[in-house]
Amino acid sequence: PGFNSTSDTALAKSFKQLAALHNWDFLGLEYIGSYDPKATALRFYNEVKNKDVGNYVFVGKSFGGFWANAMAIQFGEKCCVMNPAMDPDHLLCDYGLPTELYSAYTDFIPVFIYENPTTVILCEDDPIINAQNTSSMFKDSSAKMVMLNHGGHSGDNEVFLCETAKLMTSDFISELS
């Protein structure tokens, strides 16, 4: 989920249905209490690590996109993100969180190397995430970029679900070829 949201949204329910359709597991991660990047990363890592599943596709929007990408890199898995907050220190500033968190995220960001199979969906009319700045962060990667001229910060959930389904089924399709 994105900043201050839960895994009980209509979109999360759609992802659960997509996962069930293909007999995949669904794990919704939520922020609980702390936005400290090290504490959050450790909690998310432990939640995923303790699940006995493989072949993940991590998904997330906005701040959730930041964490989906981080977990995908950590576990060497696929990732589909929409309007990801790849510079969360600026996002945190906009929401008025404590300034000590800004530098914590700035220090945390260089860990990320964008080499995992990734689809990045950006909406050019997003008033919160700058699509051009975010796309430049992925310019030296193999990420598939999907630019939409509509959707705002909420994005186009149908595109998000379809692109995620493509990533989820790509291994299966290549095995059939």
Side-chain angles (χ1 to χ4, degrees):
F3 187 78
N4 279 342
S5 65
T6 70
S7 62
D8 195 35
T9 63
L11 180 61
K13 290 175 183 172
S14 295
F15 275 115
K16 289 176 191 176
Q17 291 172 344
L18 178 64
L21 181 67
H22 294 284
N23 200 27
W24 294 317
D25 291 321
F26 175 87
L27 173 64
L29 301 177
E30 297 180 13
Y31 305 109
I32 300 172
S34 173
Y35 287 93
D36 174 78
K38 291 179 183 159
T40 302
L42 182 61
R43 187 174 62 76
F44 284 178
Y45 175 81
N46 286 331
E47 285 189 44
V48 173
K49 175 186 76 152
N50 291 330
K51 295 290 179 185
D52 188 24
V53 295
N55 295 322
Y56 300 102
V57 174
F58 290 90
V59 297
K61 280 179 145 179
S62 190
F63 202 29
F66 172 84
W67 286 113
N69 192 67
M71 292 295 100
I73 290 168
Q74 177 67 41
F75 289 95
E77 297 291 346
K78 299 173 186 176
C79 174
C80 187
V81 293
M82 179 175 282
N83 298 327
M86 299 312 293
D87 57 348
D89 49 333
H90 293 107
L91 185 66
L92 295 172
C93 179
D94 291 345
Y95 283 95
L97 290 172
T99 54
E100 60 268 13
L101 286 180
Y102 309 161
S103 63
Y105 276 94
T106 301
D107 294 343
F108 198 69
I109 291 169
V111 172
F112 301 131
I113 301 168
Y114 309 107
E115 294 301 324
N116 54 322
T118 302
T119 299
V120 181
I121 304 164
L122 295 167
C123 299
E124 292 175 339
D125 64 342
D126 186 335
I128 297 171
I129 305 299
N130 183 302
Q132 296 305 319
N133 289 349
T134 303
S135 68
S136 70
M137 294 177 163
F138 290 91
K139 72 178 189 277
D140 295 327
S141 75
S142 60
K144 174 184 177 184
M145 302 300 295
V146 178
M147 293 292 275
L148 304 174
N149 62 6
H150 66 281
H153 189 62
S154 297
D156 184 323
N157 289 339
E158 286 183 32
V159 171
F160 195 21
L161 286 164
C162 289
E163 291 297 331
T164 301
K166 288 178 191 176
L167 274 173
M168 294 173 94
T169 57
S170 63
D171 288 341
F172 175 72
I173 292 169
S174 65
E175 288 173 13
L176 293 176
S177 313

